[in-house]
Amino acid sequence: MQVRPPGRPAALLIGGLLAAAVLVSQSVKVIPAGYVGVVFSSFSGVKAQPLQEGIHFLVPFVDRVNLYDARLQEVTLAHTTQDGDEGAIRARSKEGLDITADVTVQFRVDRAKAATLHKELGRDYVRTVIRPQVRSKVRDAIGQFGAADIISSKRQEVEASITAELRKIFERNNLVLDSVLLRELRIPDSIAKAIEQKQAAEQQVAVERNRLQQSTISAQRAVVEAEGAAKASVARARGEAEALSLRGRALRENPQLIQLTVAEKLSPGIQTVMLPSTGNFLLDVGTLTQPAKTAAKP
């Protein structure tokens, strides 16, 4: 039994379907989530308007799409990096001490400027721009600070300085800088030990200064309390003197008060009566109030 080849109409149909499939595949492009597409036209070159996520129609066999990852990316320069590069960044502090820094830079591709990025830098922008610029700006920032400050109180200022300078570079190259992370800063062990000893001495000085301030405050408090006690004694003495003065004046102006005072000092069992000053004597009230003795019966 022989199988006959398809006829001419059938062959044309199959060929047309294959051509249509190829044509559709060349004219339809899906941009995945998180990516941006840059269109290169064989007639006009790179098109200024990048393609965002979704389905897009192109000119078959003329337009070609280059995908760029627009999600958050990072580049790490560290002593554990195995990419053929020098790894960690070696720099010198303000006083000339060797400092090794591990740095991570997080960034994104600017979606709106992806076409310019493709035209000016291409896909190899990490090697041509990011790595060399990060090394340069980290070295410049570390050179502005002393080693002791970098590993202690000035770490955030170093990060801020690096971030500010790199942000300018990234914007000029159509990239968006997200953050710069100083993962680790290492200095020679001998220098680190000397810095620790210096910091310990400064802390001890601060403790002694605090103790001296507390002693000074305590002494000042004692002086204030003594002055307050002295002023209180003076005020109390002045009050007593004024009271005595007023009492003496009252006695001089009212001589009867002398007799009253004497009477008040006598025994409570003795009852006295004040007579006018012309009488000049005291009378026992008890003898007056005692009932008369009954006369004896015969």
Side-chain angles (χ1 to χ4, degrees):
M1 184 176 179
Q2 292 182 344
V3 178
R4 295 181 179 180
R8 183 181 179 89
L12 291 176
L13 178 61
I14 294 174
L17 292 176
L18 291 176
V22 173
L23 186 63
V24 170
S25 66
Q26 291 293 320
S27 61
V28 176
K29 182 66 176 180
V30 177
I31 306 300
Y35 286 78
V36 62
V38 177
V39 180
F40 175 80
S41 173
S42 300
F43 297 147
S44 60
V46 177
K47 294 185 177 181
Q49 187 64 32
L51 304 180
Q52 304 301 327
E53 303 167 356
I55 299 176
H56 298 273
F57 295 96
L58 307 173
V59 178
F61 306 104
V62 175
D63 293 340
R64 186 174 68 252
V65 177
N66 298 275
L67 293 178
Y68 281 85
D69 190 350
R71 296 170 297 186
L72 181 66
Q73 304 178 61
E74 69 176 34
V75 172
T76 298
L77 305 178
H79 65 285
T80 58
T81 302
Q82 303 294 333
D83 57 358
D85 209 328
E86 63 179 289
I89 302 172
R90 299 184 61 184
R92 289 187 179 275
S93 64
K94 189 175 182 179
E95 61 268 54
L97 298 177
D98 289 333
I99 295 180
T100 305
D102 291 352
V103 181
T104 294
V105 177
Q106 296 178 326
F107 66 97
R108 306 171 190 271
V109 171
D110 191 339
R111 286 179 171 271
K113 300 178 180 178
T116 306
L117 173 68
H118 179 72
K119 183 185 298 185
E120 296 179 354
L121 299 179
R123 297 181 179 277
D124 204 16
Y125 55 84
V126 172
R127 183 185 64 85
T128 58
V129 174
I130 294 181
R131 287 184 179 276
Q133 289 295 339
V134 169
R135 293 185 182 281
S136 175
K137 300 310 177 185
V138 169
R139 291 190 180 106
D140 292 344
I142 290 178
Q144 299 175 5
F145 298 88
D149 294 333
I150 291 175
I151 65 174
S152 58
S153 60
K154 302 295 185 179
R155 186 187 184 102
Q156 293 182 348
E157 292 186 21
V158 175
E159 282 188 356
S161 176
I162 297 171
T163 302
E165 294 300 321
L166 283 179
R167 180 163 283 118
K168 299 176 184 177
I169 300 297
F170 277 50
E171 289 179 356
R172 193 158 57 241
N173 289 277
N174 309 298
L175 298 167
V176 179
L177 180 64
D178 188 83
S179 62
V180 175
L181 307 175
L182 285 178
R183 299 173 55 186
E184 187 177 359
L185 294 170
R186 295 182 299 278
I187 60 178
D189 294 338
S190 58
I191 303 301
K193 186 175 181 180
I195 292 174
E196 291 177 357
Q197 292 176 351
K198 178 183 177 182
Q199 291 177 343
E202 291 176 351
Q203 291 177 357
Q204 184 63 30
V205 170
V207 170
E208 295 299 331
R209 185 181 295 112
N210 186 38
R211 290 178 179 174
L212 179 61
Q213 290 177 351
Q214 291 179 353
S215 300
T216 302
I217 293 173
S218 299
Q220 292 176 350
R221 184 185 300 113
V223 170
V224 172
E225 292 177 352
E227 291 178 352
K231 290 180 179 179
S233 299
V234 171
R236 185 166 53 253
R238 184 180 295 112
E240 292 176 354
E242 291 179 356
L244 290 175
S245 176
L246 292 175
R247 187 176 180 84
R249 184 185 304 171
L251 291 176
R252 288 193 302 270
E253 295 176 355
N254 301 281
Q256 296 88 348
L257 292 177
I258 298 177
Q259 297 178 5
L260 176 60
T261 303
V262 173
E264 289 175 348
K265 298 298 182 181
L266 294 176
S267 173
I270 300 177
Q271 299 180 355
T272 59
V273 175
M274 290 295 301
L275 296 177
S277 59
T278 56
N280 196 21
F281 65 87
L282 301 175
L283 179 64
D284 187 357
V285 179
T287 58
L288 298 177
T289 58
Q290 183 178 3
K293 294 183 179 180
T294 307
K297 293 181 181 181

